[in-house]
Amino acid sequence: MREIDPADLALFDEWYDAFRAGAVAGREAALVTGPEALGYSLRNPSPLKQRIVVGAFEDDRVLGTMLFEYRLNDNLDTVEVEIDVPPAHRRRGIGTALWQWAATRAAQLGRTIVQAEVAVPAAGSPGAAFAARLGFQVEHVEEHLVVPLPYDDLRLEELRSDAGRLDGYRLTSLAGLCPPEHQQAYADLHTAMDLDVPTGGMTREVVPWTVEKLEASEARIDRSYLALVTMAHTLAGEPAGYTLIYLPRADAVNAQQDDTLVLREHRDHNLGTFLKLANLEQLAKHRTTQRFLHTWTALTNAPMRKVNARFGFRAVEEHRELELRLPRLRPAARGLIVDENERVLLVRFEFADGPLWATPGGGLEAGETVVEGLRRELVEEVGLTGFADPVHLWHQEVVADGHATGYDGVLNDYFLIRADHFTPAGSMTAAELAAENVHELRWWTLDELLAHKGRFAPRDLPELVRRLLANGPPSTPTQLGL
């Protein structure tokens, strides 16, 4: 598993190809953010959200992909994860290895709610099955709907005729950035949309929109999309609703019908239909080659589903929002150090219930990757430096009392390090090591490990080492229990 710098254009393009291949497989009308829009967004990060690009590699080939995201100023318990593996590389443990990376990073951040989205065609979805095996629960379901473009002029005339006359309101259509005179009303409508839109059981903290937030969001979006907005106002000038279409600048096929909102006190005036009709007129003016208009509507939103049906939208798949609550685990990186004679370096911990032999390593600090934490810990504990990026051997999650004070358990990632034999002597003093319950550093042969009657961590460490020395490291990290 490796984080990818989106500024490395060649590597990002390879990652994107794998990302897209996994995302569109088996879907009739998949809508995936294009490489230009996604690349620009990642290379110009928002101050409100951290987004990490992760690849699963075999040698130098990208076999699987993940986007790992978390907000910086709100929703501080949650992370969002998207894992995509091309069909040719599935059933090899790649998705699981990516998930293990995500679980470790979430634990390091102290976040215990993981959110994800999966598209489920009528024939089913391997992604949905994979998420269910991990324990994710479906909290909200929307229909993904599509209508062909250019829009049917005859249907438009029929809709206009059926809608009749708009009384008591006026419509304003905008293309691009919202002009200053409408910014406050538009920001208020965005806040109302966030509060009103159905989200099922998803954990979500709604943060009000300000004019400054609106300007920053629009400036980022405008680089990759033309926003087509129609707003409804009362004759007194009060905002009553809006609808929004995104026309991608680099996607020749797809456009996106995004928000449509009518404030509750202005419903039952057919405003939703009038808003959509006006915005479709904008789409006809600005559209170039796009052939499909996509939208998403909650299964519980019966009025909007009825409007979508009148406008000719056809459901192509379900869009499921998922959530998984994790225990609060202490993340740690540990090294299985093996010398040229296949001896293994272990440390002895002393606890109230007796000694325990384990691999060197320790807890991760804020802001460091797992491998960075491993390097720091091994310098401090045993004095090992200068080793190449190690092979990820095992991923261990233990939920149990007494393993880490203040946590529900521990999460350990183990890495294989081949090194010439050395006398362990880290930067920590004997007193500092003893304060962390470390009382001895010792090299073990396999026979000594297998013959020892005391405790190890993991419990079956001797057998794990035997298998490793006999068969080599696994192609993807092995999941361990206690």
Side-chain angles (χ1 to χ4, degrees):
M1 302 305 110
R2 195 162 90 225
E3 293 183 33
I4 290 175
D5 181 357
D8 183 338
L9 300 184
L11 184 56
F12 175 77
D13 286 347
E14 183 183 352
W15 177 91
Y16 181 84
D17 289 344
F19 169 78
R20 182 176 181 83
V24 305
R27 298 170 61 191
E28 174 189 351
L31 183 64
V32 181
T33 305
E36 298 87 355
L38 182 58
Y40 175 82
S41 174
L42 293 167
R43 289 187 284 272
N44 298 272
S46 164
L48 304 178
K49 178 183 278 192
Q50 176 71 44
R51 307 176 79 194
I52 302 173
V53 182
V54 183
F57 288 80
E58 183 177 68
D59 299 323
D60 291 328
R61 290 193 307 150
V62 180
L63 303 188
T65 67
M66 177 169 63
L67 276 175
F68 182 92
E69 309 180 6
Y70 55 96
R71 299 190 65 81
L72 299 173
N73 299 326
D74 55 75
N75 291 277
L76 299 180
D77 291 328
T78 65
V79 299
E80 300 170 36
V81 173
E82 179 177 352
I83 294 173
D84 292 292
V85 179
H89 302 306
R90 292 175 183 170
R91 298 193 171 276
R92 297 179 54 187
I94 294 168
T96 299
L98 288 162
W99 167 248
Q100 291 169 348
W101 188 102
T104 298
R105 182 57 65 90
Q108 186 181 359
L109 294 167
R111 304 199 178 204
T112 56
I113 301 172
V114 184
Q115 298 178 331
E117 300 178 359
V118 293
V120 184
S125 161
F130 173 67
R133 289 195 298 272
L134 293 175
F136 279 88
Q137 300 294 315
V138 179
E139 298 291 352
H140 183 56
V141 181
E142 298 182 339
E143 286 182 314
H144 175 191
L145 306 109
V146 176
V147 69
L149 297 175
Y151 199 84
D152 186 334
D153 287 336
L154 180 59
R155 183 185 288 271
L156 273 179
E157 286 303 318
E158 291 175 350
L159 288 166
R160 289 191 190 102
S161 176
D162 292 342
R165 181 178 171 182
L166 178 63
D167 291 322
Y169 299 91
R170 58 182 174 81
L171 303 181
T172 302
S173 291
L174 312 167
L177 302 178
C178 183
E181 63 268 24
H182 293 297
Q183 285 179 331
Q184 187 60 62
Y186 194 29
D188 292 343
L189 287 169
H190 272 294
T191 300
M193 180 71 189
D194 288 347
L195 291 168
D196 188 78
V197 65
T199 58
M202 295 294 287
T203 302
R204 205 156 281 165
E205 175 189 354
V206 175
V207 179
W209 284 72
T210 62
V211 168
E212 293 75 21
K213 179 180 175 180
L214 177 70
E215 288 178 330
S217 174
E218 286 197 315
R220 288 177 55 79
I221 291 171
D222 189 64
R223 171 63 173 71
S224 302
Y225 300 88
L226 176 65
L228 305 176
V229 181
T230 296
M231 301 172 62
H233 293 82
T234 66
L235 298 183
E238 295 297 318
Y242 78 106
T243 191
L244 167 64
I245 289 175
Y246 285 125
L247 193 58
R249 300 189 188 278
D251 185 342
V253 177
N254 302 293
Q256 304 169 41
Q257 168 67 64
D258 205 67
D259 300 348
T260 298
L261 169 74
V262 176
L263 297 177
R264 291 183 181 277
E265 60 270 30
H266 299 289
R267 292 175 186 173
D268 300 321
H269 296 279
N270 216 13
L271 266 183
T273 296
F274 284 108
L275 286 166
K276 285 180 176 286
L277 283 170
N279 225 29
L280 285 173
E281 291 179 9
Q282 283 214 100
L283 180 61
K285 294 176 184 176
H286 293 280
R287 169 188 166 270
T288 53
T289 61
Q290 285 77 16
R291 295 173 45 232
F292 299 102
L293 180 62
H294 299 251
T295 196
W296 296 262
T297 302
L299 293 180
T300 57
N301 192 347
M304 189 55 65
R305 293 180 70 195
K306 185 181 295 186
V307 171
N308 287 333
R310 288 207 310 271
F311 275 81
F313 282 94
R314 176 179 65 88
V316 293
E317 60 189 6
E318 282 189 354
H319 178 87
R320 298 179 185 173
E321 295 185 78
L322 316 174
E323 203 166 271
L324 173 63
R325 292 183 174 266
L326 299 173
R328 191 164 180 267
L329 303 179
R330 176 181 181 265
R334 301 196 169 275
L336 185 73
I337 304 171
V338 181
D339 73 6
E340 67 273 20
N341 295 312
E342 296 193 333
R343 289 173 293 188
V344 176
L345 181 62
L346 299 181
V347 300
R348 175 169 61 86
F349 291 91
E350 287 291 343
F351 298 112
D353 56 352
L356 174 74
W357 287 95
T359 56
L364 301 178
E365 294 182 352
E368 64 185 3
T369 67
V370 181
V371 173
E372 287 170 349
L374 177 67
R375 292 183 185 280
R376 176 186 49 76
E377 284 286 336
L378 295 186
V379 168
E380 295 173 353
E381 208 163 82
V382 303
L384 181 62
T385 62
F387 55 88
D389 281 350
V391 175
H392 193 181
L393 287 177
W394 311 317
H395 178 84
Q396 179 189 44
E397 298 182 28
V398 177
V399 180
D401 292 334
H403 283 270
T405 303
Y407 293 87
D408 300 318
V410 293
L411 188 157
N412 293 313
D413 285 291
Y414 294 85
F415 295 84
L416 173 62
I417 301 164
R418 293 280 187 177
D420 292 337
H421 189 81
F422 64 97
T423 300
S427 61
M428 297 177 72
T429 66
E432 289 171 331
L433 289 171
E436 296 191 4
N437 297 316
V438 175
H439 292 272
E440 185 181 356
L441 302 168
R442 174 184 161 190
W443 290 95
W444 296 66
T445 67
L446 177 58
D447 288 341
E448 289 170 337
L449 287 172
L450 294 171
H452 186 67
K453 302 302 183 184
R455 294 187 303 157
F456 293 99
R459 285 179 177 172
D460 57 350
L461 179 63
E463 177 59 21
L464 290 168
V465 172
R466 186 195 67 77
R467 278 186 240 151
L468 171 68
L469 297 178
N471 305 320
S475 58
T476 57
T478 301
Q479 183 87 32
L480 302 183
L482 184 58

